[in-house]
Amino acid sequence: MTTFKLHIRFNLVMARTNKKGFSSVKCRLTYNKNRKDFSTGITVNPDHWDPKKQRLLDQSDQEETIEHPDGRTYIGYRTGNFLARQAMKKSGKSILELSNLMPKEIIKLAGY
């Protein structure tokens, strides 16, 4: 059985900032040597971004954060990763095919 790795990277678009000085976060999915870049719709303060870990150092001034009682702030990333893998497994679609779908459609394909 052939297996392929799904790579997910988050990068800031430093060339453009909004009025608050925040930059957009882009996501790059790579699966079977095929890449798909898309915007996450999230803007962050570049001074609070850790490029090596691809995450925020501090979310106190961010407009979009994910709260969790035990302090996990990146549960959304892990959940999205899990849903994408489940949708690929159950539907037989590639990550590139999923990238053209709306989140509700991906969740449905994942069986939820």
Side-chain angles (χ1 to χ4, degrees), residues 34-107:
N34 293 305
R35 290 182 181 171
K36 178 70 175 182
D37 293 315
F38 60 93
S39 176
T40 63
I42 297 172
T43 58
V44 300
N45 183 335
D47 295 334
H48 297 172
W49 183 257
D50 184 340
K52 289 184 180 179
K53 293 183 179 178
Q54 302 171 50
R55 66 180 187 173
L56 288 172
L57 299 171
D58 174 19
Q59 291 189 336
S60 61
D61 64 349
Q62 302 307 312
E63 296 171 1
E64 295 188 38
T65 60
I66 300 168
E67 300 290 334
H68 197 272
D70 67 5
R72 289 182 284 158
T73 55
Y74 298 100
I75 191 170
Y77 166 76
R78 291 190 300 270
T79 303
N81 190 349
F82 172 77
L83 287 173
R85 288 178 189 275
Q86 288 294 99
M88 287 188 303
K89 181 179 174 182
K90 291 186 177 191
S91 70
K93 294 183 181 288
S94 72
I95 193 67
L96 294 176
E97 291 171 305
L98 291 181
S99 68
N100 293 318
L101 301 177
M102 296 300 293
K104 286 183 180 182
E105 295 172 291
I106 295 170
I107 292 168

Side-chain angles (χ1 to χ4, degrees), residues 24-43:
S24 297
V25 178
K26 291 275 189 178
C27 180
R28 171 177 279 175
L29 300 175
T30 306
Y31 180 75
N32 194 18
K33 298 182 182 178
N34 293 305
R35 290 182 181 171
K36 178 70 175 182
D37 293 315
F38 60 93
S39 176
T40 63
I42 297 172
T43 58

